[in-house]
């Protein structure tokens, strides 16, 4: 499937999780796709999160893709 591109969101609640990334192998066989996500920043309106997918075939060949999600809240605060 398509590899998710780096994106910018305005708050941590908009950070995407596993986006259904799949992989294929020219030699057939099973492909395992593992997903991990770095910890959300302490401040929900700034920082970054890294989503990582690692695809591994039965021969141990690996491909890694990372997506950086930048969190930038530029909205003015109201009181």
């Amino acid at each position: 499937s398509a590899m998710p591109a780096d994106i910018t969101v305005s708050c941590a609640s908009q950070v995407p999780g596993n986006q259904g990334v799949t992989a294929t192998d020219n030699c057939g066989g099973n492909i395992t796709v593992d997903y991990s996500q770095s910890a959300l920043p302490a401040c929900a309106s700034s920082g970054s999160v890294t989503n990582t997918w690692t695809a591994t075939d039965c021969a141990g060949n690996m491909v890694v893709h990372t997506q950086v999600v930048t969190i930038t809240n530029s909205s003015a605060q109201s009181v």
Side-chain angles (χ1 to χ4, degrees), residues 2-60:
M3 294 288 130
D6 294 348
I7 60 171
T8 300
V9 297
S10 60
C11 64
S13 65
Q14 296 173 328
V15 173
N18 190 350
Q19 298 162 56
V21 171
T22 60
T24 58
D25 186 42
N26 292 336
C27 297
N30 293 332
I31 304 290
T32 302
V33 179
D34 294 314
Y35 167 76
S36 63
Q37 184 177 69
S38 65
L40 293 172
C43 178
S45 61
S46 68
S48 66
V49 173
T50 302
N51 291 325
T52 304
W53 293 267
T54 303
T56 308
D57 69 10
C58 63

